[in-house]
Amino acid sequence: MVHPRVLEPFLSLRLREPKAADQGHNIDLKKVREGLRKMSRKEHRQHKRMRRLESQLRETEAEESDIRKDRLQGQILQQLLWTYAHVLKQVPQRPELKPLLRPVFKGLAQYAHLVNLDFLEDILDALGTLLNLLGSRDAPCCLQAAFALLSGQGQALTVDPQRFYVALFRCLLESPSASARTLLLCWRTMVVNRCRSLSVYRLKALCKRFATLCLNHAHSLGLTLSLGTLLRSEPRLQGLLEVADSQTIFRPMLGDPDHAGCAPLWELHVLRKHYDPSTAAIAKAVASSNRIPPTLTSLDPVRVAGKRFDPLVAFPARWAKFC
């Protein structure tokens, strides 16, 4: 049995690191000038030729070292991706390898911009197969890795991401206990950054499911802030705030967001009475089609999601003797 910590050092690899600045020795210019003055014209010309030759040799050595470095990094990356792909393909047959998936997903998301197109299709197929086997905690990490691959060189592929959005739709229903930070990173990559390319039916259904998650999740501030920012910036979602769309029906138990329908976000009116004043202020502003307070729009939902608001309930004075 391989421990997950065995794969964690792969996350510290410095692939394609920038070139280090040349740290030359301190040159005494006075001595150089004195040496040039003592030279004859013939020696001076020969000195210039030698300097040119030395500079050309240094450039040639630098090019050779860069080529050698790129070749070595390519071999390391190939072995790294082979290891990740091997783990992904072995998990369906060997469920005991599931603990290895977390570092694999992190590694794929970290090195997604370096993955060659030859590996992309195989890795995406393996990730799509795993989605049906993962729980509510690991599925967002898998989706984040998949869309990190699709955001880089994967844009050149003609891959239909519907199965990933179906998994996200299911994951939002089953993951009130999942990490809010992971959910928000997944939501930002799949929905916020791609909202213009999504169909209006899929986008509205995902927002409706996400609003339901805001009611049940402990870190509702970051979730509500992310939802409110999207509703304010996307004109196609304004119908979710109007009563005119009350005739539509939302079918939450359907697995496909394209066919689940949509309905007005009554969840925002419930969140207006949330115990967290910031969450209530965001919900009130969005539901009333007003601007979100600037002090809240400047916050990063992912960072806010790591903080939990614990309210202090003030009991009436007559209850003091019972406390």
Side-chain angles (χ1 to χ4, degrees):
M1 179 62 185
V2 181
H3 199 276
R5 291 184 179 179
V6 176
L7 299 180
E8 290 180 358
F10 292 162
L11 302 175
S12 302
L13 292 174
R14 294 184 177 181
L15 300 179
R16 299 291 178 93
E17 61 182 358
K19 296 181 180 179
D22 295 334
Q23 298 178 352
H25 299 287
N26 294 329
I27 301 174
D28 191 352
L29 296 179
K30 291 183 179 180
K31 292 183 179 180
V32 174
R33 289 171 184 170
E34 290 178 359
L36 291 175
R37 288 174 185 173
K38 295 179 182 179
M39 291 181 184
S40 62
R41 289 186 177 180
K42 186 176 181 180
E43 292 175 347
H44 192 64
R45 291 174 185 172
Q46 187 177 2
H47 180 70
K48 280 187 175 181
R49 292 172 188 165
M50 293 299 297
R51 289 185 62 183
R52 289 176 186 172
L53 289 174
E54 289 176 357
S55 63
Q56 291 177 1
L57 287 173
R58 283 196 296 268
E59 291 177 359
T60 305
E61 291 176 356
E63 290 179 359
E64 291 179 354
S65 63
D66 290 340
I67 293 173
R68 193 181 305 112
K69 183 178 179 181
D70 292 341
R71 187 185 300 115
L72 180 60
Q73 285 190 161
Q75 294 174 357
I76 294 174
L77 184 62
Q78 185 177 4
Q79 293 296 326
L80 179 66
L81 294 177
W82 182 88
T83 303
Y84 287 163
H86 182 71
V87 173
L88 294 176
K89 293 179 180 179
Q90 288 295 319
V91 168
Q93 288 80 22
R94 300 175 61 187
E96 65 272 11
L97 296 179
K98 273 190 177 182
L100 300 178
L101 291 177
R102 279 294 183 92
V104 170
F105 293 151
K106 290 181 180 179
L108 288 175
Q110 181 173 340
Y111 303 118
H113 62 288
L114 302 176
V115 179
N116 196 357
L117 290 174
D118 299 334
F119 288 96
L120 273 178
E121 292 187 5
D122 293 339
I123 294 178
L124 288 174
D125 290 340
L127 291 175
T129 305
L130 282 175
L131 282 174
N132 297 326
L133 305 176
L134 299 178
S136 59
R137 291 185 176 273
D138 294 330
C141 299
C142 180
L143 293 172
Q144 186 180 353
F147 273 81
L149 294 170
L150 290 173
S151 300
Q153 298 184 14
Q155 295 179 355
L157 297 176
T158 55
V159 178
D160 185 11
Q162 181 184 6
R163 53 181 174 176
F164 297 112
Y165 283 102
V166 171
L168 175 64
F169 194 65
R170 183 185 70 249
C171 181
L172 293 176
L173 179 65
E174 301 173 353
S175 59
S177 61
S179 171
R181 185 178 183 276
T182 306
L183 280 174
L184 281 173
L185 288 173
C186 189
W187 175 262
R188 177 184 295 178
T189 306
M190 298 180 63
V191 181
V192 177
N193 296 342
R194 292 172 170 257
C195 62
R196 299 297 173 87
S197 61
L198 297 179
S199 65
V200 64
Y201 303 105
R202 179 180 296 179
L203 188 58
K204 286 185 176 181
L206 288 171
C207 288
K208 180 66 175 178
R209 178 62 58 83
F210 197 78
T212 306
L213 179 66
C214 294
L215 294 175
N216 303 327
H217 209 284
H219 303 279
S220 58
L221 175 57
L223 301 176
T224 308
L225 179 59
S226 181
L227 177 63
T229 305
L230 179 61
L231 291 173
R232 294 290 300 165
S233 61
E234 181 56 44
R236 295 183 298 169
L237 298 177
Q238 297 305 312
L240 295 176
L241 306 176
E242 299 175 358
V243 186
D245 280 359
S246 59
Q247 301 298 328
T248 58
I249 300 175
F250 178 63
R251 302 175 180 85
M253 301 313 296
L254 290 181
D256 192 348
D258 293 340
H259 305 287
C262 61
L265 297 181
W266 56 264
E267 292 87 354
L268 292 175
H269 297 280
V270 178
L271 289 171
R272 293 172 65 176
K273 299 181 180 180
H274 199 271
Y275 59 80
D276 183 2
S278 300
T279 304
I282 296 171
K284 184 177 180 180
V286 176
S288 305
S289 299
N290 296 326
R291 290 185 177 181
I292 301 175
T295 55
L296 297 176
T297 54
S298 60
L299 299 176
D300 184 8
V302 178
R303 292 185 178 181
V304 173
K307 301 177 181 179
R308 183 169 180 173
F309 181 80
D310 295 324
L312 296 177
V313 180
F315 293 98
R318 63 178 182 273
W319 291 4
K321 59 181 179 180
F322 300 105
C323 298

